[in-house]
Amino acid sequence: MNQHFKPNSIAGRDVKAHLHSQTNPRRFEEQGPLIVTRGEGIRVFDDAGKPYIDAMAGLWCASLGFNNARLAAAATKQYGELGFYHTFFNRTHEPATDLAETLLELTGMKGGKAYFATSGSEANETMVKLAWVYHTVRGKPTKRKVIARDRAFHGSTIAAASMCGLTFMHREFGLPIAGFLHTLCPDPYRGTLAGESEDQFIGRLVGELEKLILREGPDTIAAFIAEPINAGGGIIVPPRAYFARLQAVLAKYDILCLGDEIVCGFGRTGNWFGKETVGMKPDMMSLAKGLSSSYFPISAVVLRSEIYEAVNEFNKAGGSFGHGFTNSGHPVGVAVALETIAIYNEMNVVEHVRRMGARLRGHFEAMADRFPIIGDVRGAGLMLGIELVADRESRTPFDPALQAGLTFDQIAYDNGLIGRCMGDTLGFSPPLIVTEKDVDEIAERCEKSLKELHSRLRK
Ligand SMILES: Cc1ncc(COP(=O)(O)O)c(C=O)c1O
């Protein structure tokens, strides 16, 4: 252990005892943790009392900020009434029933079913398993493979990580496992070829997908999975006609479309669900994060009735759906999710996100006029990205050794702003409760940090 931490300090003890997710071990041992002691609205405070605006809502998730009293009260009330019960073997409780109905209504999946799990990864893996049941029951048991996209993020468990299209999720573990394939990422800024129109770009993306399906054999492909807007891969908004044309190919080969709404769901993109923002029509959707503002680890899958019917049919001889998590439909999780959704409704989340998102985007676009290192401003609602470039005209990226994005994050952090770089794309996904004043403050701190970055990069 690095000697510069006092052995009994939280930092010293944490460095000694705690293995952190998505953290470089050596850098962590050197730098130690950011110790977060409390939250207040969109701000968190470190152990020295310094406030930060968390413009990422933690991990794209704390949509109602960091100390919402109503969510705390909903959890406390539910703990007092029924602190745990499971949903195996025909068991339920009213909050779980209420949330299942609410989700079907909100997602437009009426007549279908809602299934509960505890993490986004579990929800995504549940969708894969349901796709397998669906095809098996319909006499197509060889349909097993799943196609995801380059730069996708779908979680950390083995199949979910295999669906990721990011090398950092694969390299230590020898992933992806067999049967998990990847196709092109619909990134208009980086993916469009010189002279290619949007229509031609979409045609090429969809053509590549079809080639992959034909190469593997359509009778081996169960499902395609995508986020409406790719979050962790760099806030990538596909061209408007992309999903409609892509889904025509999926339909042609009887391939299910799985929508990962774990980040995009619950207002984030300026609609209740990202599918509305991009014109996607999924057969199943995975939900987490904003579902409970991450005040409780709860996730869900909503599925079309045909998929439920397959589960029913498979078990007609008396077997049980062989799937489930101890905490599926945990009473406190569903109570917190119901309260979260009630608050979204009261604050008119969609309209609010559209207004705040347009204001923040306006600030970023104005900054692009002042900073030539801004190559692209993109996103939807309160899910925005700024891509930094060495040369705007030619879209030439910075030399990766400069670590422009990471340097921005460090400067911003010193300026009391938590963002998240994905390579040289700066992500902004603040709590959805941001006010006009908050948005202006995020922009001010961002601009100040960009100025410092700009002068450092020129040295
Ligand atoms: C789009 C997307 N899908 C899935 C996941 C995985 O969720 P979890 O970390 O809850 O397993 C994440 C997490 O960041 C995500 O961003």
Side-chain angles (χ1 to χ4, degrees):
M1 191 181 92
N2 196 301
Q3 295 308 309
H4 63 268
F5 299 113
K6 290 199 187 90
N8 288 328
S9 64
I10 297 175
R13 286 164 48 215
D14 199 81
V15 166
K16 204 163 167 196
H18 186 177
L19 174 62
H20 285 255
S21 306
Q22 303 290 356
T23 296
N24 175 267
R26 293 211 171 168
R27 206 176 313 128
F28 180 62
E29 285 180 14
E30 191 52 42
Q31 297 171 352
L34 166 67
I35 302 166
V36 179
T37 54
R38 68 188 182 89
E40 205 177 287
I42 66 163
R43 289 171 176 76
V44 292
F45 294 77
D46 70 15
D47 56 339
K50 176 177 169 179
Y52 302 79
I53 294 179
D54 190 332
M56 279 304 294
L59 296 170
W60 328 80
C61 56
S63 297
L64 298 180
F66 297 95
N67 68 332
N68 186 289
R70 280 179 59 183
L71 298 189
T76 305
K77 179 167 178 283
Q78 187 57 49
Y79 274 121
E81 286 168 12
L82 179 69
F84 173 76
Y85 214 72
H86 63 84
T87 53
F88 287 32
F89 322 134
N90 299 18
R91 314 294 205 266
T92 199
H93 39 79
E94 193 173 359
T97 313
D98 286 347
L99 185 62
E101 284 177 352
T102 303
L103 294 182
L104 293 175
E105 175 86 37
L106 271 180
T107 56
M109 289 272 194
K110 264 182 157 169
K113 296 271 183 183
Y115 180 83
F116 297 116
T118 49
S119 70
S121 303
E122 289 169 357
N124 282 339
E125 297 219 359
T126 298
M127 293 200 292
V128 172
K129 289 172 82 176
L130 286 168
W132 290 342
V133 183
Y134 172 77
H135 289 300
T136 301
V137 164
R138 293 163 66 249
K140 300 182 179 181
T142 58
K143 276 180 147 319
R144 305 280 298 174
K145 294 178 191 166
V146 177
I147 301 178
R149 302 178 303 176
D150 299 334
R151 293 167 69 186
F153 189 88
H154 295 297
S156 294
T157 48
I158 294 171
S162 293
M163 293 190 277
C164 292
L166 294 161
T167 47
F168 69 84
M169 294 300 290
H170 294 161
R171 60 186 176 86
E172 285 157 292
F173 313 109
L175 294 174
I177 51 172
F180 288 83
L181 313 167
H182 295 87
T183 190
L184 295 175
C185 166
D187 177 354
Y189 186 67
R190 288 277 164 222
T192 311
L193 301 176
E196 195 174 45
S197 68
E198 184 173 290
D199 191 57
Q200 289 165 333
F201 176 48
I202 299 172
R204 184 162 57 80
L205 296 170
V206 172
E208 284 296 321
L209 173 69
E210 186 158 15
K211 272 192 231 159
L212 175 63
I213 294 167
L214 293 172
R215 206 163 52 237
E216 296 286 329
D219 57 342
T220 70
I221 317 280
F224 168 86
I225 184 165
E227 279 184 274
I229 295 176
N230 173 332
I235 316 216
I236 300 155
V237 187
R240 183 70 207 172
Y242 167 79
F243 274 108
R245 285 174 62 186
L246 181 133
Q247 288 203 244
V249 173
L250 300 181
K252 182 170 162 192
Y253 298 109
D254 193 19
I255 295 169
L256 291 174
C257 181
L258 315 182
D260 179 338
E261 292 266 8
I262 287 163
V263 170
C264 294
F266 299 97
R268 174 60 61 195
T269 70
N271 284 295
W272 267 100
F273 294 96
K275 64 176 182 158
E276 299 153 50
T277 307
V278 299
M280 183 188 199
K281 294 200 172 80
D283 298 296
M284 290 185 250
M285 295 160 69
S286 54
L287 312 170
K289 298 194 190 263
L291 167 61
S292 68
S293 188
S294 277
Y295 277 47
F296 197 92
I298 176 169
S299 64
V301 173
V302 289
L303 45 132
R304 284 201 294 115
S305 57
E306 291 86 335
I307 294 159
Y308 166 67
E309 288 311 332
V311 176
N312 195 354
E313 177 66 20
F314 194 94
N315 291 297
K316 67 181 174 203
S320 297
F321 179 42
H323 186 68
F325 305 97
T326 302
N327 291 304
S328 287
H330 190 292
V332 178
V334 294
V336 170
L338 283 167
E339 188 69 356
T340 304
I341 294 168
I343 297 171
Y344 292 150
N345 275 314
E346 286 165 35
M347 68 187 269
N348 195 352
V349 71
V350 165
E351 195 267 335
H352 180 75
V353 168
R354 286 183 187 176
R355 271 196 312 116
M356 295 306 123
R359 190 176 180 96
L360 188 56
R361 190 183 185 118
H363 283 306
F364 290 155
E365 280 166 358
M367 276 178 227
D369 292 337
R370 296 191 283 276
F371 294 93
I373 57 171
I374 296 183
D376 194 28
V377 174
R378 57 176 177 259
L382 281 170
M383 184 176 171
L384 296 170
I386 294 176
E387 184 158 342
L388 302 176
V389 288
D391 182 70
R392 182 189 285 168
E393 199 58 37
S394 60
R395 301 188 180 183
T396 307
F398 279 109
D399 175 356
L402 286 174
Q403 297 199 310
L406 198 61
T407 310
F408 173 88
D409 270 5
Q410 282 157 358
I411 297 169
Y413 172 90
D414 290 341
N415 289 329
L417 179 69
I418 296 179
R420 158 135 168 221
C421 68
M422 290 152 284
D424 286 346
T425 297
L426 316 176
F428 296 88
S429 167
L432 305 184
I433 53 167
V434 280
T435 60
E436 289 183 356
K437 193 163 162 277
D438 295 330
V439 164
D440 297 348
E441 208 172 333
I442 291 170
E444 249 168 58
R445 292 182 191 194
C446 176
E447 173 143 12
K448 182 167 181 243
S449 309
L450 275 173
K451 250 186 218 154
E452 286 174 46
L453 176 72
H454 200 220
S455 57
R456 270 203 220 174
L457 289 171
R458 271 192 311 212
K459 275 182 197 153

